[in-house]
């Protein structure tokens, strides 16, 4: 069955049911960890999802979304937001320096701050506008060469530079552990980095591992397929395959 056909056919009920299931998994994980469910933010990763899937999630009272590409978000969100003013939008994918202005204008939270040139650019844009997105530093916990994020060895220094050199206030850290590895050591490493830098927010955990992430202290889980079902191919939506 084609994933896009599947999404259109089972649409709204399926998303509402999946959201309920995810919320209850979050509640159970919080209970096991002695945490309050209100302390964990579910960021629904809506990349490649058409507007109607997002609308269905909003109708099921879900208001926090994450997008990976600035351009896709620019095409999708202004219209949805004009109808749904309560929505909170997170950037969870890499940010090119030339898209900083657009990202500051559109996103409430930018989770992928990862290099000095981006800090400089964010700092300029924030000074120019009245917008102050919440900022997380992305950490490449597996030190994978092709992946974005600051390496664990450099992250303390980077966070300090963000604040001292660029005047950016950093609220948390985010990581995407290597595919196919046990994510637990990566969750523990990210939690340790947040703790020793005095940062409260911890964005980790996806559809396959968010319960474990919550038990390791996640304050933000980014969940796509467990909320929306299988992701449509980016090409079907006429989206450019941008990114970095
Ligand atoms: C797509 C994506 C997610 C969600 O992935 P699922 O496995 O579908 O839950 C989370 N974080 C980032 C950075 C992503 O790109």
């Amino acid at each position: 069955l084609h994933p896009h056909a599947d999404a259109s056919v089972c649409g709204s009920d399926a998303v509402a049911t999946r959201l309920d299931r995810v919320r209850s998994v979050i509640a159970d994980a919080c209970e096991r960890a002695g945490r309050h469910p209100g302390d964990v933010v579910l960021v629904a990763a809506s990349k490649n999802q058409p507007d109607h899937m997002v609308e269905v999630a909003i109708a099921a009272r879900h208001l926090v979304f994450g997008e990976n590409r600035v351009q896709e978000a620019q095409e999708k969100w202004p219209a949805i937001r004009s109808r749904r003013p309560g929505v909170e939008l997170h950037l969870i994918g890499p940010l090119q320096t030339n898209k900083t202005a657009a990202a500051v204008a559109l996103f409430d939270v930018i989770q992928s701050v990862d290099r000095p040139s981006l800090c400089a650019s964010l700092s300029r844009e924030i000074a120019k506008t009245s917008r102050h997105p919440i900022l997380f530093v992305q950490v490449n916990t597996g030190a994978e060469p092709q992946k974005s994020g600051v390496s664990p060895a450099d992250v303390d220094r980077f966070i300090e530079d963000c604040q001292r050199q660029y005047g950016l206030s950093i609220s948390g850290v985010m990581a995407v552990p290597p595919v196919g590895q046990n994510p637990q050591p990566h969750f523990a490493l990210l939690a340790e980095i947040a703790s020793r830098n005095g940062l409260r927010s911890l964005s980790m955990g996806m559809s396959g591992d968010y319960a474990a992430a919550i038990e390791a202290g996640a304050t933000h889980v980014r969940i796509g397929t467990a909320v929306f079902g299988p992701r449509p191919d980016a090409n079907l939506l006429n989206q450019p395959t941008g990114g970095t």
Side-chain angles (χ1 to χ4, degrees), residues 2 19-20 25 27 35 47 52 58 73 78 84 89 100 128 154 162 164 179 184 189 197:
H2 200 279
L19 264 172
D20 278 343
V25 169
R35 303 181 57 199
K47 61 172 175 265
H52 75 265
I58 294 172
R84 310 282 191 168
L89 200 56
T100 309
K128 258 197 252 171
D154 299 333
C162 284
R164 287 240 185 110
V179 174
Q184 299 272 11
L189 174 59
N197 285 282

Side-chain angles (χ1 to χ4, degrees), residues 93-183:
L95 177 53
Q96 289 173 273
T97 307
N98 65 3
K99 297 204 171 119
T100 309
V104 167
L106 187 59
F107 291 97
D108 302 295
V109 182
I110 296 175
Q111 298 201 7
S112 49
V113 179
D114 69 350
R115 60 198 191 281
S117 60
L118 178 57
C119 292
S121 176
L122 280 168
S123 178
R124 277 194 302 272
E125 270 322 306
I126 289 170
K128 258 197 252 171
T129 64
S130 56
R131 289 190 53 87
H132 289 269
I134 290 168
L135 304 175
F136 296 177
V137 166
Q138 183 171 353
V139 186
N140 185 358
T141 56
E144 297 171 276
Q146 79 290 2
K147 195 173 265 180
S148 1
V150 183
S151 84
D154 299 333
V155 70
D156 294 351
R157 174 71 189 278
F158 180 78
I159 290 168
E160 189 179 319
D161 286 351
C162 284
Q163 334 222 58
R164 287 240 185 110
Q165 203 172 327
Y166 300 101
L168 298 174
S169 163
I170 301 299
S171 304
V173 283
M174 178 271 239
V176 184
V179 174
Q181 277 187 31
N182 175 7

Side-chain angles (χ1 to χ4, degrees), residues 45 47 68 92 176 206-207 222-225 231:
K47 61 172 175 265
N68 283 68
I92 61 176
V176 184
M206 311 189 353
S207 291
R222 310 175 308 266
I223 304 183
T225 50
R231 226 174 337 267

